[in-house]
Amino acid sequence: MEPHDHQHSPKSPQTPSLPLPSSSAAPTCFKCGGATTLEPPPAWSEISPPPNYRPIRAPAINVPPNHSQQAIILAPVPQSQKVPVVTPPFHFQTPSKRIQSPDDIRRFHESFAGKNFLGFVVALSESIRGHKISDECHQSPVTDSIVSILETLTQWVDGIPPAQMASRYGNVSYRVWHERLVGNSDALMLRFLPDELRSSTVEIIPYFTDGFGNASRIDYGTGHETNFAAWLYCLARMGVIKEEDYQAVVARVFVKYLALMRKLQLVYCLEPAGSHGVWGLDDYHFLPFIFGSSQLIDHKYMKPKSIHNDDILENFSNEYLYLSCIGFVKKVKKGLFAEHSPLLDDISGVPNWNKVNSGLLKMYKVEVLEKVPIMQHFLFGWLIKWE
């Protein structure tokens, strides 16, 4: 055996050694067992517990600490529900805000309205499962009329150019567009409402107009998106939208709505409302990720990790909402995807789309429908009752 120096320094950095307690035995060389003047590295108990294992890409949801994570993990996966249709006599009323505290949130989710609204969102998600956007589906005159309304709203943007402003967010021309929306909302609703339901405009219009953002703050977020979904739910409650329309509601109506909202965001620089910043799923939207992940369940080739393939995003974003959302995020945000969208990057490591979809449904309930700052703007009337 070749002689070696007991004074040698290790090639890699070591944790600084602590003074040995007087009762400790003399340190020995790890090679030969002989006495040495080097002190062994301290046991973990002498400084701190061993660090928890962290993978190379630690789950983004853990940083910063997020108390919602445990709630999401423990929550049951929401299930679809049939929407009961109201019958005469009708008692339509101007809806109002009722949620002000966590107790109000709990009360809402324990109510029929809270459970049935979430069940409606799940039913929409299931209706598009395994279907591309361009797939043939049942399109009623009502869904076609709603698509036409959204096309009209999109054309208004072209006629109301953004004002020249120094600020980055909140172009005041959006208020002109929104004012036109409010002023024409009655006529827009009457395009498809049957005569016996025309009195419902007093109740459904506030959901509709709030579904495109707030004119005072010039912002938009998941709360506004939820009010648009609530408007669709009200139409389902009145029987205007039927179950056989659900696939078209997602593939035609919601796709057109999403395109309009992206145009409003880009043209008028809408401020993200209630955004979690880098730790959120997206600055503005949540539902298209739910619907889009449902589309891709059991897809033969595309997996959650496929979002990192730019060719797939370029060629299939027009057919799958989830890929469209990822492509849009990459378009409007600069830098590494894992840095500006760590949660989406983390989701790409989930093994299949079924788990992504069920996880997003649970996350929507916890991170959107159970948050007071978001749901304090939710409206309640006769169709969505505050119980």
Side-chain angles (χ1 to χ4, degrees):
M1 176 182 287
E2 295 182 0
H4 59 277
D5 183 7
H6 287 162
Q7 300 288 338
H8 60 68
S9 298
K11 294 182 180 179
S12 59
Q14 296 276 344
T15 304
S17 58
L18 300 178
L20 282 172
S22 57
S23 60
S24 299
T28 57
C29 177
F30 75 97
K31 287 187 178 181
C32 64
T36 176
T37 57
L38 283 177
E39 297 170 357
W44 283 111
S45 59
E46 294 175 335
I47 51 175
S48 66
N52 292 328
Y53 168 72
R54 284 174 61 85
I56 293 174
R57 179 172 53 80
I61 198 170
N62 287 339
V63 185
N66 189 339
H67 297 295
S68 297
Q69 182 193 11
Q70 195 68 11
I72 294 170
I73 294 172
L74 296 177
V77 179
Q79 301 298 310
S80 66
Q81 291 191 13
K82 291 185 178 296
V83 177
V85 178
V86 296
T87 55
F90 302 127
H91 302 285
F92 301 118
Q93 62 188 64
T94 303
S96 59
K97 301 174 183 179
R98 303 298 294 268
I99 293 177
Q100 298 177 347
S101 68
D103 284 341
D104 293 335
I105 290 285
R106 176 186 51 77
R107 183 176 176 180
F108 170 61
H109 284 285
E110 290 176 353
S111 70
F112 166 78
K115 294 175 182 176
N116 198 235
F117 172 68
L118 182 56
F120 171 70
V121 172
V122 180
L124 291 180
S125 174
E126 291 181 353
S127 74
I128 198 70
R129 178 171 177 168
H131 294 291
K132 295 184 294 185
I133 291 174
S134 63
D135 284 353
E136 291 290 327
C137 63
H138 172 76
Q139 291 181 240
S140 68
V142 169
T143 55
D144 287 343
S145 182
I146 295 173
V147 169
S148 175
I149 288 171
L150 294 170
E151 288 174 346
T152 298
L153 301 183
T154 304
Q155 292 168 4
W156 289 355
V157 179
D158 297 330
I160 306 173
Q164 295 296 320
M165 295 177 58
S167 60
R168 177 184 175 189
Y169 284 110
N171 195 283
V172 294
S173 289
Y174 169 74
R175 290 174 177 160
V176 179
W177 181 90
H178 199 276
E179 184 179 358
R180 183 181 293 184
L181 167 71
V182 173
N184 289 272
S185 55
D186 271 290
L188 295 174
M189 296 302 101
L190 296 181
R191 285 192 189 182
F192 62 87
L193 285 176
D195 290 341
E196 67 272 16
L197 292 173
R198 292 195 166 206
S199 59
S200 69
T201 54
V202 67
E203 183 159 343
I204 66 174
I205 283 176
Y207 291 103
F208 180 74
T209 55
D210 196 60
F212 300 92
N214 183 276
S216 298
R217 299 187 301 270
I218 313 184
D219 65 4
Y220 174 87
T222 51
H224 301 105
E225 180 187 67
T226 297
N227 264 331
F228 183 79
W231 175 70
L232 295 172
Y233 173 74
C234 288
L235 298 183
R237 288 276 282 142
M238 295 189 295
V240 176
I241 288 176
K242 301 176 173 60
E243 278 193 57
E244 57 263 33
D245 297 322
Y246 283 7
Q247 185 180 341
V249 167
V250 177
R252 304 294 182 266
V253 173
F254 196 86
V255 166
K256 185 67 68 174
Y257 167 73
L258 182 61
L260 168 58
M261 289 318 307
R262 286 176 179 167
K263 187 167 188 174
L264 290 172
Q265 290 155 22
L266 293 175
V267 172
Y268 300 126
C269 302
L270 301 187
E271 188 88 40
S275 171
H276 292 289
V278 70
W279 301 113
L281 185 71
D282 182 79
D283 285 338
Y284 298 99
H285 295 284
F286 204 115
L287 292 178
F289 291 93
I290 293 176
F291 301 151
S293 59
S294 181
Q295 283 185 281
L296 289 161
I297 290 175
D298 297 329
H299 195 284
K300 288 184 179 180
Y301 308 110
M302 279 182 271
K303 307 300 179 187
K305 64 182 179 183
S306 298
I307 67 165
H308 301 295
N309 187 318
D310 290 339
D311 287 338
I312 287 178
L313 293 181
E314 182 178 351
N315 291 303
F316 297 99
S317 287
N318 60 329
E319 291 286 12
Y320 297 99
L321 278 167
Y322 196 97
L323 302 182
S324 173
C325 289
I326 297 296
F328 187 73
V329 168
K330 290 188 174 183
K331 173 185 174 182
V332 299
K333 293 190 175 183
K334 306 301 180 185
L336 295 175
F337 183 74
E339 292 181 357
H340 62 62
S341 302
L343 185 52
L344 290 174
D345 186 59
D346 189 60
I347 292 173
S348 71
V350 176
N352 59 68
W353 289 109
N354 200 32
K355 287 185 178 295
V356 172
N357 182 253
S358 60
L360 287 174
L361 283 168
K362 295 196 293 183
M363 187 177 175
Y364 179 66
K365 180 175 183 288
V366 172
E367 294 287 6
V368 178
L369 299 185
E370 291 184 358
K371 296 300 184 189
V372 174
I374 295 174
M375 295 302 291
Q376 65 183 349
H377 303 292
F378 196 73
L379 301 171
F380 295 88
W382 182 64
L383 296 169
I384 304 179
K385 291 182 180 178
W386 177 252
E387 300 173 14

